[in-house]
Every structure is written in C-alpha cells, then in structure tokens.
Amino acid sequence: MRRNDNFARLNKNYLFTEIEKRVAAFKAKEPSAKLISLSVGDTSQSIPPSIAKGLVQKITDLQVNETYSGYGPSQGDRALREKIAEAFYENKISADEIFISDGAKCDIGRLQLLFGEKSKIVLQNPTYPVYLDSSLLMGQTEISALPALPDNGFFPEFGKVKEVDLIYFCSPNNPTGVAATKEQLKELVSFAKSRCAVIIFDSAYAGFIRDPSLPRSIYEIEGAEECAIEVSSFSKLIGFTGVRLGWSVVPKALKYENGLSVHDDWQRVMATFFNGASNIAQAGGVAALTPEGVEEMRGLTDYYLENVRLLRGALQPMGYPIYGGEAAPYLWVDFGEERFQEFLERYHILTTPGSGFGSAGKGFLRFSGFGSREDILEATRRLKREVSYQNSDR
Ligand code: PL4
C-alpha cells in the first residue's frame, strides 16, 4: 500500500507534540521540578454552572425514551444556529448559513476539501500550524507565508501577492495575540475581492475582544459575505476544549468562479464526512447563549485576560518588547533569540517557541494565559524573583 506522499512534506512532529517530547525529556532529568505550563492554549477553569446544567439536562433527557434523540441534522441543531446568528452576527448571517461542528480545528481541515490541491494559498507568518499542515496534506504546492511582524503591525503586505485562491487569516491572532483593526480587515476583504480569492477567517478568540472598535467577525466588513468563510469555536469561551463545539459560516452569497454555490458544497461535505456535533455539546452551546450563559462566558474570558495582564506585569521588567494580550489570551514576546529551553530549565515554565509557528516567529516566545490563577501567580513570582536577583547582582 502506497503512503500519501504529502505526509513527507509535514514536520515530523506537530508543534504541540514536539513540546510534549521536550517536556518528557526534561522531566526524566528533573522529576521533582514543578512545571508551570504557559504553553498550549488549553483552558484550566471548569465549565460555568448554567452551561454545565445545560449539558447535564441533555444527559438526563438521553436516559428516557420519550426525550431521547439520536443522530441530529448534520448542519447542527437549528435552535443553536439561530442563537449563534443572533449573538455573534446580529442576524446579518442567517441560521441557514451556520454549520455546527466539533471545533474550529476540525473545520479548518475539512474546508480544504472545497478547494482542492491546485489552490494557491496565502498565510500569515507566524501562523497557527493547522492552516499550513492541512494545505500540505491536501497537496497544495503554491503556499506563500507573508511575514506578520511588529514592523508591519502584524498585518502582511497582501498587495505583493499576484495570484491567490485562499487566504487564511486569524484575528485576534494566534500566536501574536494581536487583533486586526477594522481598516485592516477592509483592506483584506478588498484584496481578496481584487484577486477573486476566498478568506478563511478564524475568529476562535473573538470573545476576548473588549475594545468596541475592533471587529469580532469578518462579516462586520461590507462585502465580506461574498468572499469569506468564518470558523469559530466555543472551546476557549466556555471551557469546551474537551467537550468540542464550534461552527463555520459559509454565506449563500459566496460563489465559485463558475457561479456555483460554495454553501451547497459545504453542506455536502458536512453531510458526507460529519454526522453532526454531539447533541450534549450542542445543548451546552444553547445554554451558553442564554443571558445567564453569556454573563458566565464573559466572566471566564475576563479571568484569562486578567491572567495575561498579570503575566505581562512580570515579563515587562525583563525589558523585551511584548505584544498582544489585550484582545486575546496570548503574549508574544520578542527575546531576539530562542529562549524556550532557558525558561524550562531556569524557571520551570513551559512556553511555546515562536519558531513553531513559522520562520517569522524565530526569537519570540508565546505565553498563554489559560492557566489557573494559582499557577499564573506562581509563574509571576518566579519571573519577578529572577529579575530582582539580576538587578541586585549589577
Ligand atoms: C492544541 C486560531 C491552541 N490540540 O478547539 P477548537 O478546535 O475549536 O479550536 C482550535 C483552534 C482553532 N483556531 C485557532 C487556535 O489557536 C486553536 C487552538 N489553538 C493553541 O495553543 O494554539 C490549542 C492547540 C490543540 C490544537 O492542535 O489545536
């Protein structure tokens, strides 16, 4: 049996698997070290009460024949789609254009099926690795990774690209933690339209935006429904990284060059490769979008934003440029050289090396604010102790 040649194009290990290996090697050397993870963006706080109640109620319903349900619609529960349309898109997007899924990452992979191996891809560099890896696995060969650096406000010079079919764009961004402005997204939409390209807009962290002038969805930009697909997620908003629930938006106005509907094909992909998100998870999603759930979601995202604020306070005295953290739970720190191993061995703090997100991430470390407050405070103590020690040494 012949292996899919495209596997040879991937890095041997997925970024977070590689980090796990490095940690295992360190633990074998220093088994008693109390490691604090500021690495993978995984939530630490429990599911808020009214949302958990929604999950429990569904489990109770599943125990009784009269309220039991099996397979649901592959596009997802209509009540949840209606609530998403209202809560996240002010009904500018209709429930028919929303597809419930088992998470944004899974949708990112499946979306590749719409465009095929001949599509020309544009990514930000650094970038969430799944956009690149899923493109490589699909067999796409023309992939441009445009630098998104402090110098250009983390917004690439798209105009330099002549031909493109698909543009991946994530805002608020992983890994930089920076959110694009309305002007930048207008530029992005206008670029996509000028090249007849499609944007895959990842808004998994939009729930962390507090500045009302920053767009939370690509559809806040006029005309985006003709050139953009959005993927999003409940993972970080309500502690659902393990429960698994996300959604995609494929507007009916989005057409291929031959005039056929992208929406219809996405419906076909979801019907063929996906059997609907877990009905328990979807009940949790509905509970999250009640007034009580929305308030809890806000409380949870505030908690992680406060973690990031505390981390920033501890990192600032080190004197390196720090980006992000205001509209996303990540800090992106420019140390100018690889410091992953040093943070691990010296502070017993686990970070994510910027180079894992692309060549333009070299010299940066990403710090995640998704830990417990206790861990975050312990990390800040370790960092501050080190800085005051260094200062007293001078
Ligand atoms: C570790 C920009 C985290 N094993 O949970 P999902 O599938 O709805 O969303 C995943 C996702 C989608 N889009 C963006 C993301 O940053 C994430 C999650 N990224 C991180 O630390 O970068 C978790 C990564 C997980 C993974 O590989 O995705």
Side-chain angles (χ1 to χ4, degrees):
M1 195 186 359
R2 193 179 152 83
R3 186 191 193 209
N4 176 349
D5 290 340
N6 295 320
F7 279 104
R9 305 171 68 208
L10 300 177
N11 274 341
K12 193 152 179 279
N13 284 324
Y14 181 60
L15 169 62
F16 294 103
T17 318
E18 175 62 32
I19 291 174
E20 278 166 25
K21 281 194 169 174
R22 286 165 82 166
V23 172
F26 176 74
K27 277 189 178 159
K29 224 171 53 179
E30 279 198 51
S32 61
K34 187 187 174 313
L35 282 184
I36 293 179
S37 175
L38 307 179
S39 182
V40 64
D42 194 4
T43 46
S44 62
Q45 299 304 291
S46 59
I47 296 169
S50 84
I51 301 168
K53 215 165 132 194
L55 296 174
V56 171
Q57 181 58 52
K58 187 67 191 177
I59 293 169
T60 307
D61 291 350
L62 289 173
Q63 294 175 56
V64 180
N65 280 345
E66 285 66 32
T67 47
Y68 171 81
S69 59
Y71 291 126
S74 57
Q75 192 165 345
D77 175 20
R78 180 144 200 113
L80 177 57
R81 289 187 279 124
E82 281 173 359
K83 277 190 175 291
I84 290 174
E86 189 189 345
F88 297 103
Y89 303 104
E90 294 174 345
N91 290 319
K92 278 187 220 148
I93 292 293
S94 79
D96 289 342
E97 296 171 304
I98 294 169
F99 296 76
I100 309 299
S101 74
D102 50 350
K105 181 177 177 178
C106 320
D107 280 334
I108 293 162
R110 284 187 288 258
L111 276 166
Q112 285 283 349
L113 291 164
L114 293 176
F115 304 101
E117 71 195 66
K118 293 199 179 104
S119 319
K120 299 180 177 74
I121 311 288
V122 164
L123 311 160
Q124 291 160 285
N125 178 9
T127 188
Y128 178 46
V130 179
Y131 314 141
L132 175 63
D133 285 359
S134 58
S135 303
L136 292 172
L137 274 179
M138 177 51 76
Q140 285 145 351
T141 51
E142 293 191 51
I143 303 174
S144 314
L146 306 183
L149 294 162
D151 294 353
N152 57 16
F154 297 104
F155 189 77
E157 285 185 59
F158 288 105
K160 286 189 171 166
V161 177
K162 294 232 160 15
E163 286 182 50
V164 54
D165 299 305
L166 262 189
I167 307 156
Y168 285 92
F169 195 89
C170 175
S171 179
N173 189 264
N174 175 19
T176 66
V178 174
T181 64
K182 198 156 198 168
E183 283 315 306
Q184 288 173 329
L185 292 191
K186 276 186 189 166
E187 198 180 318
L188 176 65
V189 166
S190 141
F191 167 71
K193 288 190 149 189
S194 72
R195 303 292 193 278
C196 298
V198 172
I199 302 163
I200 296 185
F201 187 81
D202 187 337
S203 65
Y205 300 98
F208 291 87
I209 293 177
R210 295 294 179 265
D211 177 347
S213 73
L214 292 173
R216 290 159 177 249
S217 161
I218 190 69
Y219 304 115
E220 289 182 37
I221 309 302
E222 212 185 311
E225 67 285 353
E226 291 160 4
C227 68
I229 290 171
E230 185 161 304
V231 292
S232 205
S233 172
F234 282 101
S235 283
K236 312 293 162 64
L237 306 182
I238 53 172
F240 266 29
T241 50
V243 175
R244 310 300 305 146
L245 190 65
W247 71 92
S248 59
V249 179
V250 182
K252 290 186 173 170
L254 184 65
K255 307 278 184 207
Y256 296 106
E257 58 189 4
N258 60 9
L260 291 177
S261 160
V262 179
H263 177 276
D264 290 355
D265 279 359
W266 186 230
Q267 213 158 30
R268 185 73 168 86
V269 169
M270 291 302 266
T272 307
F273 288 87
F274 190 60
N275 248 342
S278 144
N279 49 15
I280 300 167
Q282 293 190 76
V286 171
L289 298 177
T290 60
E292 210 180 343
V294 168
E295 206 174 301
E296 289 173 345
M297 192 182 326
R298 175 82 181 199
L300 198 54
T301 45
D302 276 348
Y303 176 94
Y304 295 127
L305 286 170
E306 174 62 10
N307 278 354
V308 173
R309 197 188 64 76
L310 292 166
L311 280 176
R312 177 191 288 277
L315 288 163
Q316 230 147 19
M318 290 183 157
Y320 297 96
I322 303 176
Y323 304 95
E326 269 153 35
Y330 297 121
L331 293 175
W332 186 239
V333 185
D334 186 359
F335 288 100
E337 59 182 352
E338 170 66 64
R339 300 282 285 272
F340 173 86
Q341 206 61 27
E342 184 187 332
F343 270 77
L344 180 59
E345 290 181 6
R346 197 149 156 185
Y347 311 113
H348 297 172
I349 289 176
L350 197 56
T351 60
T352 308
S355 55
F357 298 97
S359 56
K362 208 167 161 223
F364 288 82
L365 283 183
R366 190 193 76 171
F367 292 79
S368 152
F370 281 115
S372 67
R373 184 62 48 78
E374 196 189 356
D375 273 3
I376 296 289
L377 288 173
E378 173 56 21
T380 62
R381 278 192 287 273
R382 289 183 194 177
L383 295 170
K384 282 178 180 163
R385 221 172 17 236
E386 176 70 13
V387 171
S388 58
Y389 169 75
Q390 277 174 359
N391 287 347
S392 65
D393 216 27
R394 279 191 198 129

